[in-house]
Amino acid sequence: VQLQASGGGLVQAGDSLRVSCAVSGVTFRLYGLGWFRQAPGKESEFVAAISRSGTTTSYADSVKGRFTISRDNAESTVLLQMNNLKPEDTAVYSCAARTRAWNARAVPSIDNWDVRGKGTLVTVSS
């Protein structure tokens, strides 16, 4: 499986940005998908996840109400719409995939994902 994130860039606080991740090499609908981020000098952090069916989502408290994860099965893409961005959202955002059944307690840990792709840098200036 290959995961390629794109859409990052430099924005100002309060702006919106959408990053996407193209998934290839697998049957897309069989995978749950998630987003993680890593800020400079910090550990990787869970951002959001969406189930294989797309009917269930989970968000980190720090982004709840501002970020929305979605999936486009026709395009084999997972999207992360980010609104009201804050400087503390600055990080490299990468997507991950897993085939295991949805487990809300498991998805926040990268150890419970099968694969993680390279990320795209999002920089939010104050």
Side-chain angles (χ1 to χ4, degrees), residues 12-69:
Q12 294 185 334
D15 283 351
S16 297
L17 189 67
R18 188 178 74 173
V19 293
S20 62
C21 177
V23 182
S24 61
V26 295
T27 303
F28 183 77
R29 59 180 173 82
L30 298 181
Y31 282 76
L33 301 160
W35 285 94
F36 288 79
R37 67 185 183 186
Q38 187 164 18
K42 295 187 177 181
E43 294 187 353
S44 182
E45 175 188 24
F46 169 74
V47 178
I50 188 167
S51 62
R52 289 176 287 187
S53 65
T55 57
T56 305
T57 57
S58 178
Y59 296 92
D61 288 343
S62 58
V63 306
K64 202 171 293 184
R66 300 187 297 122
F67 290 13
T68 302
I69 187 172

Side-chain angles (χ1 to χ4, degrees), residues 39-100:
K42 295 187 177 181
E43 294 187 353
S44 182
E45 175 188 24
F46 169 74
V47 178
I50 188 167
S51 62
R52 289 176 287 187
S53 65
T55 57
T56 305
T57 57
S58 178
Y59 296 92
D61 288 343
S62 58
V63 306
K64 202 171 293 184
R66 300 187 297 122
F67 290 13
T68 302
I69 187 172
S70 61
R71 61 188 296 157
D72 185 338
N73 286 352
E75 297 294 328
S76 297
T77 301
V78 57
L79 306 169
L80 185 68
Q81 176 67 42
M82 303 181 289
N83 298 328
N84 190 22
L85 282 160
K86 304 175 181 181
E88 51 264 42
D89 294 318
T90 295
V92 174
Y93 285 72
S94 58
C95 58
R98 53 179 271 151
T99 56
R100 284 162 277 181

Side-chain angles (χ1 to χ4, degrees), residues 96-113:
R98 53 179 271 151
T99 56
R100 284 162 277 181
W102 180 265
N103 183 329
R105 288 186 293 180
V107 296
S109 172
I110 190 60
D111 293 338
N112 294 321
W113 292 80

